[in-house]
Amino acid sequence: MKTLRPIVLNLVTWTLVLLIAFPLLWMIITSLKPQSELFRIPPTWIPESITFEHYWRLLSETPFLRYFRNSVVLAVSTTVFVVILGTLGAYSLVRFTYRGRETMAMLVLFTYLLPSVVLIIPLYLMIASLGLSNSLFGLILAHTTFALPYALWLLRSFMEGIPEDLENAALVDGASRMGAFKDVIFPQLLPGIISTALFTFILSWNEYLYALVLVNSESVTPLTTGVMSMLISAFNIEWSLLMAASVMMSLPLIVVFAFLQSYLTSGFGAGGVKG
């Protein structure tokens, strides 16, 4: 029985891995098939001939690169705003004592629990009243609203794990509050900041609803809505270009996970053990 258990666990694990990885693998395979093989029955699991024609058409005949640039600007800008505001907010909630501190923290968490569809209309009215509708900056502000509560609570968990005595010692030695934060808190908080930045980037990169409602100009359209409007219509779906676009859209996230997965692991476990 003891020798059988590891075999069963490995079998179940690899089965789950294959089930999860299969859509990604099929997407890559389909993007490399020539047009004549796309709808063949039975399907070809390995392309008889590999072609990069769909990628060339995607990059040369469609505004994909413009959408890609917009998504990069959107995700990076949102990440910067959220990390800065979330770090300062988490520091305030952990290091300072004032009336309503815990109530404020709970309200922030409550806003994160609300579904996006509940917030989209009041958010649209606010952004429109500021004259920022149909603009990339307005979409950045919208993304910040749904990513900031999560980032604030995640960074708060990291901040609570940093002993306050370290900061007090720096203050006693003559450091200013900002100096103590820069030299003592920031290096300890860096894994949490990187983890939060990754989560925020992924949330912003994959977001669809706000982009669909708040933006209708092609010049500021991100990938999530741009690819849909470009390749999917009521009468036709460009499957070859859609698979190529999906692969290209997935590459930044795969690279991020591959190089910074250790910070993501620490982020998932944040708050489990306090210093």
Side-chain angles (χ1 to χ4, degrees), residues 175-194:
S176 63
R177 176 72 68 173
M178 183 60 68
F181 178 85
K182 178 174 66 73
D183 297 329
V184 178
I185 299 298
F186 183 78
Q188 300 288 327
L189 192 61
L190 188 58
I193 291 175
I194 295 177

Side-chain angles (χ1 to χ4, degrees), residues 180-237:
F181 178 85
K182 178 174 66 73
D183 297 329
V184 178
I185 299 298
F186 183 78
Q188 300 288 327
L189 192 61
L190 188 58
I193 291 175
I194 295 177
S195 173
T196 302
L198 293 177
F199 291 140
T200 304
F201 183 89
I202 293 168
L203 285 174
S204 180
W205 186 267
N206 291 328
E207 198 281 323
Y208 175 80
L209 179 62
Y210 288 168
L212 180 65
V213 174
L214 298 177
V215 170
N216 55 32
S217 173
E218 189 175 280
S219 61
V220 294
T221 297
L223 278 172
T224 47
T225 53
V227 168
M228 186 202 72
S229 62
M230 177 177 64
L231 302 178
I232 300 176
S233 66
F235 305 101
N236 184 44
I237 299 178

Side-chain angles (χ1 to χ4, degrees), residues 90-162:
Y91 184 79
S92 171
L93 289 174
V94 174
R95 288 294 188 256
F96 299 111
T97 302
Y98 47 87
R99 182 180 299 178
R101 182 182 65 169
E102 291 301 320
T103 302
M104 183 185 299
M106 294 305 297
L107 287 175
V108 169
L109 179 62
F110 177 72
T111 60
Y112 182 69
L113 297 177
L114 292 174
S116 298
V117 70
V118 175
L119 303 174
I120 186 63
I121 294 194
L123 188 61
Y124 172 79
L125 294 176
M126 292 174 61
I127 290 178
S129 66
L130 295 173
L132 296 175
S133 59
N134 204 31
S135 70
L136 204 55
F137 185 66
L139 195 54
I140 291 169
L141 292 181
H143 282 200
T144 301
T145 61
F146 74 78
L148 184 57
Y150 173 81
L152 184 60
W153 270 82
L154 181 59
L155 286 168
R156 185 190 186 193
S157 298
F158 275 100
M159 192 78 71
E160 288 174 340
I162 301 174

